[in-house]
């Protein structure tokens, strides 16, 4: 169990659960989950506050989305910018990156976009009904061929090769993160809890407790073994997904 000042919010967790990223204003900070030590900062690219972050399971790439209506792809080891994604008309409040690092997804207002990570070219623009951008979430399949979107009430699965809507998921609450294999997701639920659920049925596997105030950020490791939650109580909690215990 680790704590961090309320100015920072957990936004991404590496696949092995060893490092996590928080946001502070227009910068992102990488932390060692075992020691709580600050490793490096990602600075100088966004003009306004960072709202969303996502990391590849291997921890090599980081995507940040900002109030400045852009998203950025970073190399984690060097903290250098690799690509800039422009084209949103509103703040980018949700982001995702495929496990192979070839696709990036970004969300704002009612739309989600999928990009080629190498060229920065937009591939698809989905009208994903992201009615509440602060409760909206995105997740990409490991190969980038499927996109999951949620708006705090309902979730949708999309085919990114042709833009088709494949599946609808009811009972999606507020902040959400998907496992790399899409078999499980973790969803925050007011007032002070999060839950690990099965994607196919929506059934709760574990209730994740320990916070005193609302859970406003969640992350799940790529291998699905660790869950990280952050709360307005200034605490970040790392839990074992197999047992639900910290």
């Amino acid at each position: 169990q680790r704590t961090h000042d309320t100015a920072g919010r957990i936004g991404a967790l590496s696949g092995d659960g060893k490092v996590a990223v928080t946001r502070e204003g227009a910068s992102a900070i990488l932390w060692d989950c075992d020691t709580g030590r600050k490793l490096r900062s990602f600075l100088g690219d966004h003009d306004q506050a960072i709202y969303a972050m996502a990391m590849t399971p291997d921890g090599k790439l980081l995507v940040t989305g900002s109030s400045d209506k852009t998203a950025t792809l970073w190399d984690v080891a060097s903290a250098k910018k690799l690509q800039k994604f422009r084209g949103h008309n509103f703040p980018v409040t949700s982001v995702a990156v495929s496990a192979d690092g070839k696709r990036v997804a970004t969300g704002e207002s009612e739309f989600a976009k999928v990009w080629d990570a190498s060229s920065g070219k937009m591939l698809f623009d989905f009208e994903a009904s992201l009615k509440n951008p602060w409760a909206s979430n995105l997740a990409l399949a490991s190969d980038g061929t499927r996109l999951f979107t949620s708006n705090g009430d309902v979730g949708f699965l999309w085919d990114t090769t042709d833009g088709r809507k494949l599946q609808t998921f009811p009972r999606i609450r507020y902040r959400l993160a998907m496992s790399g294999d899409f078999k499980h997701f973790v969803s925050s639920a007011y007032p002070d809890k999060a839950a690990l659920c099965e994607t196919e049925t929506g059934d709760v596997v574990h209730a994740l407790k320990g916070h005193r105030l609302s859970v406003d950020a969640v992350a799940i490791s790529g291998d699905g073994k660790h869950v990280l939650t952050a709360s307005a109580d200034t605490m970040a909690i790392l839990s074992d997904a197999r047992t639900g215990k910290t």
Side-chain angles (χ1 to χ4, degrees), residues 119-143:
S119 67
K121 178 183 178 181
M122 188 180 71
L123 303 176
F124 284 100
D125 191 356
F126 298 90
E127 189 171 355
S129 298
L130 304 179
K131 297 177 181 178
N132 180 357
W134 308 112
S136 299
N137 297 268
L138 304 174
L140 275 168
S142 57
D143 60 1

Side-chain angles (χ1 to χ4, degrees), residues 95-97 105 137-141 146-149 157 176-178 182:
V95 296
V97 58
N137 297 268
L138 304 174
L140 275 168
R146 290 172 297 162
L147 172 69
F148 183 91
T149 67
L157 186 65
L176 175 142
M178 298 286 295
F182 268 48

Side-chain angles (χ1 to χ4, degrees), residues 2 19 30 34 54 73 78 82-83 107 152 157 161 197 202 204 210 214 225-226 233:
R2 303 291 176 192
V19 296
L30 185 72
D34 290 329
L73 180 67
S78 65
L82 299 177
Q83 189 58 260
L157 186 65
T161 64
C197 306
V204 175
S214 62
K225 294 182 179 179
H226 301 89
D233 62 14

Side-chain angles (χ1 to χ4, degrees), residues 5 39 54-55 64 68 88 116 121 136 148-149 173 184 209 220:
D5 184 85
L39 300 176
M55 188 185 297
T64 55
D68 64 12
H88 284 286
D116 178 83
K121 178 183 178 181
S136 299
F148 183 91
T149 67
R173 300 184 185 92
H184 296 90
K209 302 178 181 179
I220 185 168

